[in-house]
């Protein structure tokens, strides 16, 4: 497979294709999903580690969701907590 390029960010040395796909030849070798209530940067660090463990060179975003996961209280103030969830194709570049 080969894409047209797009928006890519690097996290822990792993390319995260957030819009579009690499303009070089690649194959999909798996899928990884991450969830976190601690923010996107922590989620993507975990995704990068898992993708690397499974032989990936990069990931391409498939879906992204944010939802309220609870309500907390501090004194008289209420706040909501959110959970981020992202799903990615794990890809390997073909030389």
């Amino acid at each position: 497979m080969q894409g047209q390029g797009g928006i890519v960010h690097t996290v822990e040395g792993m390319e995260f294709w957030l819009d579009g796909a690499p303009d070089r030849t690649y194959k999909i070798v798996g899928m990884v999903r991450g969830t976190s209530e601690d923010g996107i940067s922590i989620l993507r660090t975990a995704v990068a580690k898992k993708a690397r463990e499974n032989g990936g060179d990069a990931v391409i975003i498939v879906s992204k969701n944010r939802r309220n996961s609870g309500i907390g209280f501090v004194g008289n103030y209420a706040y909501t907590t959110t959970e981020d969830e992202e799903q990615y194709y794990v890809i390997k570049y073909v030389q």
Side-chain angles (χ1 to χ4, degrees), residues 3-73:
Q4 302 284 326
I7 298 172
V8 63
H9 294 276
T10 302
V11 177
E12 299 290 321
M14 177 73 56
E15 292 180 355
F16 276 68
W17 288 88
L18 303 176
D19 184 25
D23 59 354
R24 56 192 278 202
T25 307
Y26 64 89
K27 63 181 178 176
I28 297 172
V29 297
M31 185 169 264
V32 65
R33 181 177 68 93
T35 60
S36 176
E37 290 183 354
D38 298 320
I40 290 292
S41 62
I42 290 173
L43 184 152
R44 290 183 180 164
T45 297
V47 166
K49 180 179 178 186
K50 193 64 156 176
R52 188 173 293 107
E53 287 173 358
N54 288 284
D57 294 321
V59 295
I60 301 172
I61 194 162
V62 176
S63 67
K64 178 178 181 175
N65 295 301
R66 174 174 272 181
R67 63 180 171 268
N68 290 333
S69 60
I71 299 174
F73 296 92

